[in-house]
Amino acid sequence: MTDRLKIALAQMNQRVGDLEGNAKAMLEVRRKATAAGADLLLCPELQLVGYPPEDLVLKPEFVRRVHECTDQLVDATAEPGPAMLIGTIVNEGGQNFNAMILAEGGRELGRTYKHELPNYGTFDEKRVFTPGPLPRPIEWRGIKLGVPVCEDMWLEPVCAHLAELGTELFLVPHGSPYELDKNITREHLARARTTSTGLPLIFLNRVGGQDELAFDGSSFIMHPDGELVVQMCDWDEDFLLTEWARTADGWRCETRCSHELDAFPGDVYRAMIVALRDYVGRNGFPGVILGLSGGIDSALSAAVAVDALGPGKVWGVMLPSKYTSQESLEDARECARLLGCRHDVISIAPGVDALSEMLPQLTGLAAENVQARLRMVTLMALSNAGGQMLLTTGNKSEMSVGYATLYGDMAGGYSVLKDAYKTTVFALSRWRNENKPQRGLGPDGPVMPARVISKPPSAELRPDQKDEDSLPPYSVLDRILEGLVDKEMSVNEVANATGADVTLVADIETKLLRAEYKRRQAPPGVKIGTRNFGRDRRYPISNFFHTAPKPEAAE
């Protein structure tokens, strides 16, 4: 029985389905842990596979190859170095389990299966995995290790069961995606487990982007009294050797490490950078192209893209019509200059004139939407020619109420602002003009003219158009939408909570429900809040349920 331990924590990125690449990265980290004198190496949940693997798990050939790579990793531990906890998939009896395997000396010493499978919001694990039985501790070097996997920590039964069986230390591998205030929730739940069991806990999370998810890392160690003794960094890969000693009161971490996590809105901005960087890189695009209109949404989208990819990989195109103001032309040009990215101006006026001649009956909204669609035809043509991914620039407020053109400004490969309400867009823009995000590839100073932030938003599809011609002020609209979308409140409840007129809230709810068909065709975008459009919120398109109060019958 040992009284001292060195546990290496590897906060790592992953590539879903890249079994060989993930395994190679794990072995490289093991070599680093060996040089540091580690006894045990902990990697995040499903580190070999990538998280979330979704329906790849349902493909038998994929699971077969996962088994092969897992065996190779186990064999590799025959080389001198620490034991490894390997996050992988195990097929047993025709059922697939989300598993952690402890390997040392070229053989498997123990395993545990994830018991609590999340099946809410973005999570769909019950679709592809079978819940394991309540796990038992893994005995290693005379120590009983409890290895609850991710959600197993979020609910009480698994940790309580492991504690009853004599567990001495919790090692909790995670694949926990970012959302607003998520780190507060994690600490709260970890504290509930440590204080109720009297055991220390290691929370280890992954980093990086995967489609619409961003993983922030933010791994930590907590003592039984709820004290946070180690806080690793957010957003970046990290390696930390922690030293442990057995005391009269059980195992305690002697290492102290503190990192200040990003606060709002810097954390949101970092999530956008990480998600876009990995999405563009992993899908083989050489860069991005976007319509740079001189408005705040496109300015912020361009800034995120430059910070994520570098100015040389971002191309902004101004596509003016006869309604485009001189102010917008100037602001778009200045945004590109501040960011250092390519800037071109291509007028859509000839295309508008040609379509007006072809379809002279088009007036009003139909004629306005022609402009938005011509811009996307132009941008997609440039995208096809150069290979850059088209970045859309719409925000969550617009997408909520359908203030976006299908096959127009909604068209593209990825939407940075998809889960950001307009008020968040303003906050992010002000923040970025005063701060440069850590590891951002953009400029140190402002990224957009102050006028872009202060001027009234406008689509500029008709003379003197302003967003507030069709919508309430965004400060009002966003509070209504947060109630209807994020909190699933009724019209009356939102009106009471916000002080907004019931008729206005009912109108917004109607617009929200009618726009569902548009959102189904929208590109992916990074999740920020608790209810992003898509996997978090799955409403029927054909829907006849409204929460607005019924009008009183006439007497």
Side-chain angles (χ1 to χ4, degrees):
M1 178 182 296
T2 183
D3 292 325
R4 298 195 64 83
L5 273 179
K6 291 183 179 181
I7 303 177
L9 308 182
Q11 183 171 282
M12 303 176 69
N13 206 331
Q14 309 165 353
R15 301 207 316 176
V16 170
D18 184 6
L19 306 179
E20 292 77 12
N22 292 335
K24 180 181 178 182
M26 293 169 74
L27 292 177
E28 288 175 356
V29 170
R30 185 174 184 267
R31 284 189 283 272
K32 186 174 183 178
T34 301
D39 301 302
L40 176 64
L41 171 62
L42 176 63
C43 297
E45 177 184 13
L46 289 177
Q47 183 62 41
L48 175 61
V49 176
Y51 186 85
E54 302 190 82
D55 281 9
L56 281 175
V57 183
L58 302 180
K59 198 171 190 67
E61 176 63 12
F62 176 72
V63 176
R64 186 189 69 78
R65 294 191 187 181
V66 170
H67 277 210
E68 287 181 356
C69 284
T70 302
D71 290 342
Q72 291 166 7
L73 279 175
V74 172
D75 291 343
T77 65
E79 295 292 324
M84 286 182 69
L85 273 164
I86 302 167
T88 186
I89 296 170
V90 170
N91 183 281
E92 191 174 82
Q95 297 176 316
N96 292 314
F97 296 92
N98 182 336
M100 293 296 296
I101 291 176
L102 179 65
E104 186 177 35
R107 61 191 182 92
E108 179 183 324
L109 301 183
R111 65 173 61 178
T112 188
Y113 296 154
K114 189 173 183 177
H115 177 72
E116 303 285 2
L117 300 181
N119 215 55
Y120 54 86
T122 60
F123 302 105
D124 237 352
E125 288 198 34
K126 289 184 180 178
R127 176 181 174 86
V128 297
F129 289 119
T130 298
L134 279 169
R136 300 183 63 82
I138 298 175
E139 296 200 28
W140 171 75
R141 299 191 183 182
I143 309 165
K144 289 187 175 182
L145 301 174
V147 189
V149 181
C150 198
E151 192 79 1
D152 289 342
M153 186 201 82
W154 289 63
L155 302 174
E156 184 179 8
V158 170
C159 288
H161 176 75
L162 286 167
E164 289 174 1
L165 296 180
T167 291
E168 299 171 65
L169 168 64
F170 289 130
L171 296 92
V172 193
H174 267 74
S176 178
Y178 165 83
E179 64 184 46
L180 285 168
D181 298 325
K182 189 76 165 284
N183 59 310
I184 297 173
T185 302
R186 294 167 183 156
E187 286 185 27
H188 173 75
L189 292 169
R191 191 164 286 114
R193 304 297 163 254
T194 58
T195 55
S196 65
T197 62
L199 298 174
L201 180 148
I202 299 174
F203 172 102
L204 183 73
N205 194 23
R206 64 158 294 193
V207 294
Q210 174 58 30
D211 295 347
E212 294 194 274
L213 301 178
F215 295 85
D216 58 309
S218 307
S219 306
F220 61 82
I221 295 174
M222 187 174 285
H223 272 176
D225 60 359
E227 179 189 6
L228 207 65
V229 297
V230 166
Q231 176 63 71
M232 296 174 69
C233 69
D234 46 359
W235 305 112
D236 295 321
E237 289 192 308
D238 199 5
F239 175 89
L240 181 66
L241 183 71
T242 62
E243 299 197 25
W244 295 74
R246 188 196 298 272
T247 72
D249 296 319
W251 286 94
R252 296 294 182 269
C253 182
E254 295 181 337
T255 304
R256 295 293 182 271
C257 174
S258 179
H259 181 94
E260 185 175 352
L261 303 180
D262 285 332
F264 179 85
D267 58 339
V268 174
Y269 198 92
R270 290 289 297 279
M272 290 176 168
I273 288 176
V274 166
L276 180 63
R277 177 200 67 200
D278 284 354
Y279 190 86
V280 171
R282 291 172 181 182
N283 287 285
F285 294 102
V288 297
I289 185 172
L290 75 159
L292 199 55
S293 69
I296 192 170
D297 293 333
S298 66
L300 179 60
S301 297
V304 172
V306 167
D307 280 325
L309 307 171
K313 293 186 177 182
V314 179
W315 182 8
V317 183
M318 169 47 121
L319 299 152
S321 74
K322 64 181 181 180
Y323 301 117
T324 301
S325 67
Q326 182 63 32
E327 184 179 86
S328 293
L329 288 165
E330 294 170 358
D331 289 343
R333 183 169 59 249
E334 181 63 5
C335 280
R337 188 192 71 79
L338 289 170
L339 289 168
C341 66
R342 179 177 174 180
H343 174 247
D344 287 280
V345 180
I346 302 173
S347 174
I348 62 168
V352 173
D353 291 342
L355 277 170
S356 296
E357 183 178 342
M358 186 172 76
L359 299 169
Q361 70 271 29
L362 293 186
T363 59
L365 183 61
E368 292 179 24
N369 286 342
V370 161
Q371 299 169 62
R373 291 181 176 126
L374 273 173
R375 288 186 171 112
M376 287 306 111
V377 167
T378 305
L379 289 169
M380 278 305 307
L382 295 173
S383 171
N384 289 159
Q388 297 92 344
M389 183 188 73
L390 178 55
L391 203 61
T392 63
T393 61
N395 61 69
K396 190 173 184 177
S397 303
E398 296 169 350
M399 291 301 302
S400 295
V401 295
Y403 196 67
T405 304
L406 196 59
Y407 318 124
D409 55 315
M410 288 177 59
Y414 196 83
S415 174
V416 170
L417 308 182
K418 182 177 181 177
D419 201 29
Y421 288 115
K422 189 76 169 190
T423 48
T424 302
V425 170
F426 281 113
L428 288 166
S429 298
R430 287 189 291 267
W431 179 87
R432 180 58 184 91
N433 258 7
E434 298 174 358
N435 302 272
K436 181 178 179 179
Q438 190 173 6
R439 302 192 189 283
L441 302 178
D444 292 335
V447 294
M448 65 185 77
R451 185 170 64 182
V452 168
I453 302 173
S454 62
K455 67 184 178 183
S458 171
E460 293 193 324
L461 298 175
R462 62 174 184 266
D464 301 318
Q465 183 182 23
K466 300 290 184 291
D467 288 6
E468 289 185 14
D469 296 341
S470 307
L471 301 172
Y474 283 111
S475 58
V476 175
L477 176 62
D478 287 356
R479 290 189 67 201
I480 293 172
L481 291 172
E482 286 167 4
L484 294 173
V485 176
D486 298 81
K487 299 177 183 177
E488 290 290 3
M489 297 165 71
S490 70
V491 166
N492 277 335
E493 288 171 334
V494 172
N496 290 334
T498 64
D501 183 77
V502 171
T503 304
L504 172 62
V505 180
D507 179 61
I508 297 301
E509 183 191 54
T510 298
K511 287 181 168 66
L512 172 69
L513 296 174
R514 284 179 177 171
E516 184 64 33
Y517 82 100
K518 288 187 178 183
R519 291 190 292 269
R520 290 288 183 94
Q521 301 177 68
V526 60
K527 171 182 166 67
I528 293 169
T530 56
R531 296 276 284 172
N532 72 330
F533 290 125
R535 291 176 60 176
D536 271 345
R537 186 181 185 276
R538 312 179 198 187
Y539 265 62
I541 295 174
S542 304
N543 171 31
F544 296 89
F545 181 77
H546 293 232
T547 68
K550 295 181 181 179
E552 295 181 7
E555 295 182 0

